[in-house]
Amino acid sequence: MTQTRELRQIINGDRVSDGAGVQLTRIIGSPHLNMLDPFLMFDAFGSDKPQDYIAGFPPHPHRGFETVTYMLEGRMRHEDSAGNAGVIETGGVQWMTAGKGIIHSEMPEQKEGRLAGFQLWVNLPAKEKMSEPKYQEFDAEQIPVAKLDNGTEIKVIAGQTDSGVSGVINNPFVNPLYLHVFLPAGVTFEQTVKETDNTFLYLMKGQIQIGDKQRLLNAGQLAVLETGSKVRVYSERDTEFVLVSGQPLKEPVARGGPFVMNTREQIEQAFDDYRQGRFA
């Protein structure tokens, strides 16, 4: 029997400043929701005021997890200590596995106009935390789009839609689903998820009704969903949201700024390695 996921918790997030002064809303990784295993952090950023984003994220280290940057509007240049560099543009995604450690920067490649997107931190299992850093990076044109007969369009970053369209990201550790859904007015959206996943939905535009109980979610809010094998969303107006789901790792989590490991000793080692210049 298929069980529809109902809405468990609504998170509004907190306005914070990160990097060198970038203004954003932190939703996961906030006092309201510390983490949703395997998701450690979820930030939404968006402004047409250069002072909110121009300072960017100067060089900083990471170890032990993955950072996922999805650009809705604008251009962001990234560079790292291993010599990798590139620009993430509107509709593009970068899935970076920090692994054993990397120093990177993310700086706006624009002086004006709107810059908007999401950053998601995904935990790595203990056996992968000291793996070699790597990137999966795709332009908007490379990300598959499922177009349904009812007018729904789904950008498939990771996982697979019920219509059989698969995303571009490979992650066998948490087997994530990451969908960007454009839902027309008066249409119901349904998507199968693994019953054991942790799942959330962030609404960018409009208002939706979630589950059989049809609980309301407004734009700018994140919904943590109950367990179940089916996500069901309905809206009376055009809406846009991201649906993210993943297998929990169920491992100890130790955090220290830009490092996420399993023990405090490993965090202290990460800080020592960084200070001693042992990162790539």
Side-chain angles (χ1 to χ4, degrees), residues 48-129:
D48 53 12
K49 301 174 183 175
Q51 65 267 29
D52 285 349
Y53 62 73
I54 202 69
F57 301 89
H60 56 282
H62 288 305
R63 172 181 281 182
F65 63 100
E66 300 182 301
T67 68
V68 183
T69 304
Y70 179 41
M71 292 298 295
L72 298 173
E73 293 182 70
R75 292 161 53 87
M76 187 82 83
R77 172 170 292 278
H78 69 89
E79 297 180 356
D80 71 26
S81 52
N84 299 299
V87 176
I88 315 169
E89 303 194 39
T90 299
V93 66
Q94 180 199 82
W95 198 293
M96 184 187 82
T97 304
K100 67 180 183 181
I102 202 161
I103 301 169
H104 79 145
S105 63
E106 299 154 298
M107 302 298 291
E109 186 81 345
Q110 61 191 60
K111 296 285 193 290
E112 58 185 12
R114 183 167 176 79
L115 187 78
F118 302 119
Q119 182 157 103
L120 175 70
W121 286 13
V122 184
N123 203 6
L124 282 169
K127 62 184 175 63
E128 296 295 330
K129 284 186 177 294

Coordinates of all heavy atoms in Angstrom, one line a residue, residues 48-129:
D48 N 18.9 41.3 -6.0 CA 19.4 42.1 -7.1 C 20.2 43.3 -6.6 O 20.5 44.2 -7.4 CB 18.2 42.6 -8.0 CG 17.1 43.3 -7.2 OD1 17.4 43.6 -6.0 OD2 16.0 43.5 -7.7
K49 N 20.6 43.3 -5.3 CA 21.4 44.4 -4.8 C 22.8 43.8 -4.7 O 23.1 42.9 -3.9 CB 20.9 44.7 -3.4 CG 19.4 45.2 -3.3 CD 19.0 45.5 -1.9 CE 17.5 45.9 -1.9 NZ 17.0 46.0 -0.5
P50 N 23.7 44.4 -5.5 CA 25.1 43.9 -5.4 C 25.7 43.9 -4.1 O 26.5 43.0 -3.8 CB 25.9 44.9 -6.4 CG 24.8 45.4 -7.3 CD 23.5 45.5 -6.5
Q51 N 25.4 44.8 -3.2 CA 26.0 44.8 -1.8 C 25.6 43.6 -1.0 O 26.3 43.2 0.0 CB 25.6 46.1 -1.1 CG 24.1 46.2 -0.7 CD 23.3 47.0 -1.8 OE1 23.7 47.0 -3.0 NE2 22.3 47.6 -1.3
D52 N 24.6 42.8 -1.5 CA 24.2 41.6 -0.7 C 25.0 40.4 -1.1 O 25.0 39.4 -0.4 CB 22.7 41.3 -1.0 CG 21.8 42.2 -0.2 OD1 22.2 43.0 0.6 OD2 20.6 42.2 -0.6
Y53 N 25.7 40.5 -2.3 CA 26.4 39.3 -2.7 C 27.8 39.5 -3.3 O 28.6 38.6 -3.5 CB 25.6 38.6 -3.8 CG 25.3 39.4 -5.1 CD1 26.3 39.6 -6.0 CD2 24.1 39.8 -5.4 CE1 26.1 40.3 -7.2 CE2 23.8 40.6 -6.5 CZ 24.8 40.8 -7.4 OH 24.6 41.5 -8.6
I54 N 28.2 40.8 -3.5 CA 29.4 41.1 -4.3 C 30.7 40.6 -3.6 O 31.7 40.2 -4.3 CB 29.5 42.6 -4.6 CG1 30.4 42.8 -5.8 CG2 30.0 43.4 -3.4 CD1 29.8 42.4 -7.1
A55 N 30.7 40.5 -2.3 CA 31.9 40.1 -1.6 C 32.2 38.6 -1.7 O 33.3 38.1 -1.5 CB 31.8 40.5 -0.1
G56 N 31.1 37.8 -2.0 CA 31.3 36.4 -2.3 C 31.8 35.6 -1.1 O 31.7 36.0 0.0
F57 N 32.4 34.5 -1.5 CA 33.0 33.5 -0.6 C 34.5 33.3 -0.9 O 34.8 32.5 -1.7 CB 32.2 32.2 -0.6 CG 30.7 32.3 -0.4 CD1 29.8 32.5 -1.4 CD2 30.3 32.1 0.9 CE1 28.5 32.6 -1.2 CE2 28.9 32.2 1.2 CZ 28.0 32.5 0.1
P58 N 35.3 34.1 -0.3 CA 36.8 34.0 -0.5 C 37.3 32.6 -0.1 O 36.5 31.8 0.5 CB 37.4 35.1 0.3 CG 36.3 36.1 0.6 CD 35.0 35.2 0.6
P59 N 38.5 32.3 -0.4 CA 39.1 30.9 -0.2 C 38.8 30.4 1.2 O 39.1 31.1 2.2 CB 40.6 31.1 -0.4 CG 40.6 32.2 -1.5 CD 39.5 33.1 -1.1
H60 N 38.2 29.2 1.3 CA 37.9 28.6 2.6 C 38.0 27.1 2.4 O 37.8 26.6 1.3 CB 36.5 29.0 3.1 CG 35.5 28.7 2.1 ND1 35.2 29.5 1.0 CD2 34.5 27.7 2.1 CE1 34.2 29.0 0.3 NE2 33.8 27.9 1.0
P61 N 38.3 26.3 3.5 CA 38.5 24.9 3.4 C 37.2 24.1 3.6 O 36.2 24.6 4.2 CB 39.5 24.6 4.5 CG 39.1 25.6 5.6 CD 38.7 26.8 4.8
H62 N 37.2 22.9 3.1 CA 36.1 21.9 3.5 C 36.7 20.5 3.6 O 37.7 20.2 2.9 CB 35.0 21.8 2.4 CG 34.1 23.0 2.3 ND1 33.4 23.5 3.4 CD2 33.8 23.9 1.3 CE1 32.7 24.6 3.0 NE2 33.0 24.8 1.7
R63 N 36.1 19.7 4.5 CA 36.5 18.3 4.5 C 35.3 17.5 5.1 O 34.6 17.9 5.9 CB 37.7 18.1 5.5 CG 38.0 16.6 5.8 CD 39.1 16.4 6.8 NE 40.4 16.6 6.1 CZ 41.6 16.4 6.7 NH1 41.7 16.1 8.0 NH2 42.8 16.6 6.0
G64 N 35.1 16.3 4.5 CA 34.2 15.3 5.0 C 32.8 15.3 4.5 O 32.0 14.5 5.0
F65 N 32.5 16.2 3.5 CA 31.1 16.2 3.0 C 31.1 16.7 1.6 O 32.1 16.9 1.0 CB 30.2 17.0 3.9 CG 30.6 18.5 4.0 CD1 29.9 19.4 3.3 CD2 31.6 18.9 4.9 CE1 30.3 20.8 3.4 CE2 32.0 20.2 5.0 CZ 31.3 21.2 4.2
E66 N 29.9 17.0 1.0 CA 29.7 17.5 -0.3 C 29.0 18.8 -0.3 O 28.1 19.0 0.5 CB 29.0 16.5 -1.2 CG 29.7 15.1 -1.3 CD 29.0 14.2 -2.2 OE1 27.8 13.8 -1.9 OE2 29.6 13.7 -3.2
T67 N 29.4 19.7 -1.2 CA 28.6 21.0 -1.3 C 28.0 21.0 -2.7 O 28.6 20.6 -3.7 CB 29.5 22.2 -1.2 OG1 30.4 22.3 -2.3 CG2 30.3 22.2 0.1
V68 N 26.7 21.4 -2.7 CA 25.9 21.4 -4.0 C 25.4 22.8 -4.2 O 24.6 23.3 -3.4 CB 24.7 20.4 -3.9 CG1 24.0 20.4 -5.2 CG2 25.2 19.0 -3.5
T69 N 25.9 23.4 -5.3 CA 25.5 24.8 -5.6 C 24.6 24.7 -6.9 O 25.0 24.2 -7.9 CB 26.7 25.7 -5.9 OG1 27.5 25.7 -4.8 CG2 26.2 27.1 -6.2
Y70 N 23.4 25.2 -6.8 CA 22.4 25.2 -7.9 C 22.1 26.7 -8.2 O 21.5 27.3 -7.3 CB 21.2 24.4 -7.6 CG 20.1 24.4 -8.6 CD1 20.5 24.3 -10.0 CD2 18.8 24.4 -8.3 CE1 19.5 24.2 -11.0 CE2 17.8 24.4 -9.3 CZ 18.2 24.3 -10.6 OH 17.2 24.3 -11.6
M71 N 22.5 27.2 -9.3 CA 22.2 28.6 -9.7 C 20.9 28.8 -10.4 O 20.6 28.2 -11.4 CB 23.4 29.1 -10.6 CG 24.7 29.2 -9.9 SD 24.8 30.3 -8.6 CE 24.5 31.9 -9.4
L72 N 20.0 29.6 -9.8 CA 18.8 29.9 -10.4 C 18.9 31.1 -11.3 O 18.3 31.2 -12.4 CB 17.7 30.3 -9.3 CG 17.4 29.1 -8.4 CD1 16.5 29.7 -7.3 CD2 16.7 28.0 -9.1
E73 N 19.8 32.1 -10.9 CA 20.0 33.3 -11.8 C 21.4 33.7 -11.4 O 21.9 33.7 -10.3 CB 19.1 34.4 -11.5 CG 17.6 34.1 -11.9 CD 16.7 35.4 -11.6 OE1 16.9 36.4 -12.3 OE2 15.9 35.3 -10.6
G74 N 22.1 34.2 -12.5 CA 23.4 34.8 -12.3 C 24.6 33.9 -12.6 O 24.4 32.8 -13.2
R75 N 25.8 34.4 -12.3 CA 27.0 33.7 -12.6 C 28.0 33.7 -11.4 O 28.2 34.7 -10.8 CB 27.7 34.3 -13.8 CG 27.0 34.2 -15.1 CD 27.5 35.3 -16.1 NE 28.9 35.2 -16.3 CZ 29.6 34.5 -17.1 NH1 28.9 33.6 -17.9 NH2 30.9 34.5 -17.2
M76 N 28.5 32.5 -11.0 CA 29.4 32.4 -9.9 C 30.7 31.7 -10.3 O 30.6 30.6 -10.9 CB 28.7 31.6 -8.7 CG 29.5 31.6 -7.5 SD 29.3 33.1 -6.5 CE 27.8 32.7 -5.6
R77 N 31.8 32.3 -10.1 CA 33.1 31.7 -10.4 C 33.7 30.9 -9.3 O 33.7 31.4 -8.1 CB 34.1 32.7 -10.9 CG 35.6 32.2 -11.1 CD 36.5 33.2 -11.8 NE 36.1 33.4 -13.2 CZ 36.4 32.6 -14.2 NH1 37.1 31.5 -13.9 NH2 36.0 32.9 -15.4
H78 N 34.1 29.7 -9.5 CA 34.8 28.9 -8.5 C 36.2 28.6 -8.8 O 36.5 28.3 -10.0 CB 34.0 27.7 -8.2 CG 34.0 26.6 -9.3 ND1 35.0 25.7 -9.3 CD2 33.2 26.5 -10.3 CE1 34.8 24.9 -10.4 NE2 33.7 25.4 -11.1
E79 N 37.1 28.6 -7.9 CA 38.5 28.1 -8.0 C 38.9 27.4 -6.8 O 38.3 27.6 -5.7 CB 39.4 29.4 -8.2 CG 39.1 30.2 -9.4 CD 40.0 31.4 -9.6 OE1 40.8 31.6 -8.7 OE2 39.9 32.1 -10.6
D80 N 39.8 26.4 -6.9 CA 40.3 25.7 -5.8 C 41.8 25.5 -5.7 O 42.5 25.8 -6.7 CB 39.5 24.4 -5.6 CG 39.8 23.3 -6.7 OD1 41.0 23.4 -7.2 OD2 39.0 22.5 -7.0
S81 N 42.2 24.9 -4.6 CA 43.6 24.7 -4.4 C 44.2 23.6 -5.3 O 45.5 23.4 -5.3 CB 43.9 24.4 -2.9 OG 43.0 23.3 -2.5
A82 N 43.4 22.8 -5.9 CA 43.9 21.8 -6.8 C 44.0 22.2 -8.3 O 44.3 21.5 -9.2 CB 43.0 20.5 -6.8
G83 N 43.7 23.5 -8.5 CA 43.8 24.1 -9.8 C 42.6 24.1 -10.7 O 42.6 24.4 -11.8
N84 N 41.4 23.6 -10.1 CA 40.2 23.6 -10.8 C 39.6 25.0 -10.8 O 39.7 25.7 -9.8 CB 39.2 22.6 -10.2 CG 39.7 21.2 -10.2 OD1 40.0 20.6 -11.2 ND2 39.9 20.6 -9.0
A85 N 38.9 25.3 -11.9 CA 38.3 26.6 -12.0 C 37.1 26.6 -13.0 O 37.2 25.8 -13.9 CB 39.2 27.7 -12.4
G86 N 36.1 27.4 -12.8 CA 35.0 27.4 -13.8 C 34.0 28.4 -13.3 O 34.1 29.0 -12.3
V87 N 32.9 28.5 -14.1 CA 31.8 29.4 -13.8 C 30.5 28.6 -13.8 O 30.2 27.9 -14.8 CB 31.7 30.6 -14.8 CG1 30.5 31.5 -14.5 CG2 33.0 31.4 -14.8
I88 N 29.7 28.7 -12.7 CA 28.4 28.2 -12.7 C 27.4 29.3 -13.1 O 27.4 30.3 -12.5 CB 28.1 27.7 -11.2 CG1 29.2 26.9 -10.6 CG2 26.8 26.8 -11.3 CD1 29.0 26.7 -9.1
E89 N 26.7 29.0 -14.2 CA 25.7 30.0 -14.7 C 24.3 29.6 -14.4 O 24.0 28.5 -13.9 CB 26.0 30.2 -16.2 CG 27.4 30.6 -16.5 CD 27.6 31.0 -17.9 OE1 26.7 31.8 -18.4 OE2 28.6 30.7 -18.5
T90 N 23.4 30.5 -14.8 CA 21.9 30.3 -14.6 C 21.5 28.9 -15.0 O 21.7 28.4 -16.1 CB 21.1 31.3 -15.3 OG1 21.5 32.6 -14.9 CG2 19.6 31.1 -15.2
G91 N 20.9 28.1 -14.1 CA 20.4 26.8 -14.3 C 21.4 25.7 -14.2 O 21.1 24.5 -14.3
G92 N 22.7 26.1 -13.9 CA 23.7 25.1 -13.7 C 23.9 24.5 -12.3 O 23.4 25.2 -11.4
V93 N 24.5 23.4 -12.2 CA 24.8 22.8 -10.9 C 26.2 22.4 -10.7 O 26.8 21.9 -11.7 CB 23.8 21.6 -10.6 CG1 24.1 20.5 -11.6 CG2 23.9 21.1 -9.2
Q94 N 26.7 22.5 -9.5 CA 28.1 22.0 -9.2 C 27.9 21.1 -7.9 O 27.4 21.6 -6.9 CB 29.1 23.1 -8.9 CG 30.5 22.5 -8.6 CD 31.3 23.5 -7.9 OE1 31.2 23.8 -6.7 NE2 32.2 24.2 -8.7
W95 N 28.3 19.9 -8.0 CA 28.2 18.9 -6.9 C 29.7 18.6 -6.6 O 30.3 17.8 -7.2 CB 27.5 17.7 -7.3 CG 27.0 16.8 -6.2 CD1 27.7 16.1 -5.3 CD2 25.6 16.6 -5.8 NE1 26.9 15.5 -4.4 CE2 25.6 15.7 -4.7 CE3 24.4 17.0 -6.3 CZ2 24.4 15.3 -4.1 CZ3 23.2 16.6 -5.7 CH2 23.2 15.7 -4.6
M96 N 30.2 19.2 -5.5 CA 31.6 19.1 -5.1 C 31.7 18.2 -4.0 O 31.1 18.3 -2.9 CB 32.2 20.4 -4.8 CG 33.7 20.4 -4.5 SD 34.4 21.9 -3.8 CE 34.0 21.8 -2.1
T97 N 32.6 17.1 -4.1 CA 32.9 16.2 -3.1 C 34.2 16.7 -2.4 O 35.3 16.6 -3.0 CB 33.1 14.8 -3.6 OG1 31.9 14.4 -4.3 CG2 33.4 13.8 -2.4
A98 N 34.1 17.3 -1.2 CA 35.3 17.8 -0.6 C 36.3 16.7 -0.1 O 37.5 16.8 -0.2 CB 35.0 18.7 0.6
G99 N 35.7 15.6 0.3 CA 36.5 14.4 0.7 C 37.5 14.8 1.7 O 37.2 15.5 2.7
K100 N 38.8 14.4 1.5 CA 39.9 14.6 2.5 C 40.3 16.1 2.7 O 41.0 16.4 3.7 CB 41.1 13.8 2.1 CG 41.8 14.2 0.9 CD 43.0 13.4 0.6 CE 43.7 13.9 -0.7 NZ 44.9 13.0 -0.9
G101 N 39.8 16.9 1.8 CA 40.1 18.3 2.0 C 40.4 19.1 0.8 O 41.2 18.7 0.0
I102 N 39.8 20.3 0.7 CA 40.1 21.2 -0.4 C 39.9 22.6 0.0 O 39.1 22.9 0.9 CB 39.2 20.8 -1.7 CG1 39.8 21.3 -3.0 CG2 37.8 21.3 -1.5 CD1 39.2 20.7 -4.2
I103 N 40.6 23.5 -0.6 CA 40.3 25.0 -0.3 C 39.8 25.6 -1.6 O 40.4 25.4 -2.7 CB 41.7 25.7 0.1 CG1 42.3 25.0 1.3 CG2 41.4 27.2 0.3 CD1 43.7 25.5 1.6
H104 N 38.6 26.2 -1.5 CA 38.0 26.7 -2.7 C 37.4 28.1 -2.4 O 37.1 28.5 -1.2 CB 37.0 25.8 -3.3 CG 35.7 25.7 -2.7 ND1 34.5 25.5 -3.4 CD2 35.3 25.8 -1.4 CE1 33.5 25.5 -2.5 NE2 33.9 25.7 -1.3
S105 N 37.1 28.8 -3.5 CA 36.4 30.1 -3.4 C 35.2 30.1 -4.4 O 35.3 29.4 -5.4 CB 37.3 31.2 -3.7 OG 37.8 31.2 -5.0
E106 N 34.2 30.9 -4.0 CA 33.1 31.1 -4.9 C 32.8 32.6 -4.9 O 32.4 33.1 -3.9 CB 31.8 30.3 -4.4 CG 32.0 28.8 -4.4 CD 31.2 28.2 -3.3 OE1 31.3 28.5 -2.1 OE2 30.3 27.3 -3.7
M107 N 33.0 33.2 -6.1 CA 32.9 34.7 -6.2 C 32.0 35.0 -7.3 O 32.0 34.4 -8.4 CB 34.3 35.3 -6.4 CG 35.3 35.0 -5.4 SD 34.9 35.6 -3.7 CE 35.0 37.3 -4.0
P108 N 31.1 36.0 -7.1 CA 30.2 36.5 -8.2 C 31.0 36.9 -9.5 O 32.0 37.6 -9.4 CB 29.5 37.7 -7.6 CG 29.6 37.5 -6.1 CD 30.9 36.8 -5.9
E109 N 30.5 36.4 -10.6 CA 31.1 36.8 -11.9 C 30.2 37.9 -12.5 O 29.9 37.8 -13.7 CB 31.1 35.5 -12.8 CG 31.8 35.7 -14.1 CD 33.3 35.6 -14.0 OE1 33.9 35.7 -12.9 OE2 34.0 35.4 -15.1
Q110 N 29.8 38.8 -11.7 CA 28.9 39.9 -12.2 C 29.0 41.0 -11.1 O 29.2 40.8 -10.0 CB 27.5 39.4 -12.3 CG 26.8 38.9 -11.0 CD 25.5 38.2 -11.2 OE1 25.4 37.2 -11.9 NE2 24.4 38.7 -10.6
K111 N 28.8 42.2 -11.6 CA 28.8 43.4 -10.8 C 27.4 44.0 -10.5 O 27.2 44.8 -9.6 CB 29.6 44.5 -11.5 CG 31.1 44.1 -11.7 CD 31.9 44.2 -10.3 CE 33.4 44.1 -10.6 NZ 33.8 42.8 -11.0
E112 N 26.4 43.5 -11.3 CA 25.1 44.0 -11.1 C 24.1 42.9 -11.5 O 24.5 41.8 -12.0 CB 24.8 45.3 -11.9 CG 25.1 45.1 -13.3 CD 24.9 46.4 -14.1 OE1 24.9 47.5 -13.4 OE2 24.9 46.4 -15.3
G113 N 22.8 43.1 -11.3 CA 21.8 42.1 -11.7 C 21.5 41.2 -10.6 O 22.0 41.3 -9.5
R114 N 20.6 40.2 -10.8 CA 20.2 39.3 -9.8 C 21.1 38.1 -9.7 O 21.5 37.5 -10.7 CB 18.7 38.9 -10.0 CG 18.2 38.0 -8.9 CD 16.7 37.9 -9.1 NE 16.1 36.9 -8.1 CZ 15.9 37.3 -6.8 NH1 16.2 38.5 -6.4 NH2 15.4 36.4 -6.0
L115 N 21.4 37.7 -8.5 CA 22.1 36.5 -8.2 C 21.3 35.7 -7.2 O 20.9 36.1 -6.2 CB 23.5 36.8 -7.5 CG 24.4 35.6 -7.4 CD1 25.1 35.2 -8.7 CD2 25.5 35.9 -6.3
A116 N 20.9 34.4 -7.6 CA 20.0 33.6 -6.8 C 20.4 32.2 -7.0 O 20.8 31.7 -8.0 CB 18.6 33.9 -7.2
G117 N 20.1 31.4 -5.9 CA 20.3 30.0 -6.0 C 20.3 29.3 -4.6 O 19.8 29.9 -3.7
F118 N 20.7 28.1 -4.6 CA 20.7 27.3 -3.4 C 22.1 26.7 -3.1 O 22.8 26.3 -4.1 CB 19.7 26.1 -3.4 CG 18.3 26.6 -3.7 CD1 17.6 26.1 -4.8 CD2 17.6 27.4 -2.8 CE1 16.3 26.5 -5.1 CE2 16.3 27.8 -3.0 CZ 15.7 27.4 -4.2
Q119 N 22.4 26.5 -1.9 CA 23.6 25.6 -1.5 C 23.1 24.6 -0.5 O 22.5 24.9 0.5 CB 24.8 26.4 -1.0 CG 25.9 25.4 -0.7 CD 27.3 26.0 -0.7 OE1 27.9 26.2 0.3 NE2 27.9 26.3 -1.9
L120 N 23.4 23.3 -0.9 CA 23.1 22.2 0.0 C 24.3 21.5 0.4 O 25.2 21.3 -0.4 CB 22.2 21.3 -0.8 CG 21.7 19.9 -0.2 CD1 20.8 20.2 0.9 CD2 21.1 19.0 -1.3
W121 N 24.5 21.2 1.7 CA 25.6 20.3 2.1 C 25.0 18.9 2.4 O 24.0 18.7 3.1 CB 26.1 20.9 3.4 CG 27.0 22.1 3.3 CD1 27.1 22.9 2.2 CD2 27.8 22.7 4.3 NE1 27.9 24.0 2.5 CE2 28.4 23.9 3.7 CE3 28.2 22.3 5.6 CZ2 29.3 24.7 4.5 CZ3 29.0 23.1 6.3 CH2 29.6 24.3 5.8
V122 N 25.7 17.9 1.8 CA 25.3 16.5 1.9 C 26.5 15.8 2.6 O 27.6 15.8 2.1 CB 25.1 15.9 0.5 CG1 24.6 14.5 0.6 CG2 24.1 16.8 -0.3
N123 N 26.2 15.1 3.7 CA 27.2 14.4 4.4 C 27.7 13.2 3.6 O 27.0 12.6 2.8 CB 26.6 13.9 5.8 CG 27.7 13.7 6.8 OD1 28.8 13.9 6.6 ND2 27.2 13.1 7.9
L124 N 29.0 12.8 3.9 CA 29.6 11.6 3.4 C 29.7 10.6 4.4 O 29.9 10.9 5.6 CB 31.0 12.0 2.9 CG 31.1 12.7 1.5 CD1 32.6 13.1 1.3 CD2 30.7 11.8 0.4
P125 N 29.6 9.3 4.1 CA 29.8 8.2 5.1 C 31.2 8.2 5.5 O 32.1 8.7 4.9 CB 29.4 6.9 4.3 CG 29.6 7.3 2.8 CD 29.3 8.8 2.7
A126 N 31.4 7.6 6.7 CA 32.8 7.6 7.3 C 33.8 7.1 6.4 O 34.9 7.7 6.3 CB 32.7 6.8 8.6
K127 N 33.5 6.1 5.6 CA 34.5 5.5 4.8 C 34.9 6.3 3.6 O 35.9 6.0 2.9 CB 34.0 4.1 4.3 CG 32.8 4.1 3.5 CD 32.3 2.7 3.1 CE 31.0 2.7 2.4 NZ 31.0 3.4 1.1
E128 N 34.1 7.4 3.3 CA 34.4 8.2 2.2 C 34.9 9.6 2.6 O 35.2 10.4 1.7 CB 33.1 8.4 1.3 CG 32.6 7.1 0.7 CD 33.5 6.5 -0.3 OE1 34.2 7.3 -1.0 OE2 33.6 5.3 -0.5
K129 N 34.9 9.9 3.8 CA 35.3 11.3 4.3 C 36.7 11.7 3.9 O 37.0 12.9 3.7 CB 35.1 11.4 5.8 CG 33.6 11.5 6.2 CD 33.4 11.8 7.6 CE 31.9 12.0 8.0 NZ 31.3 13.2 7.4

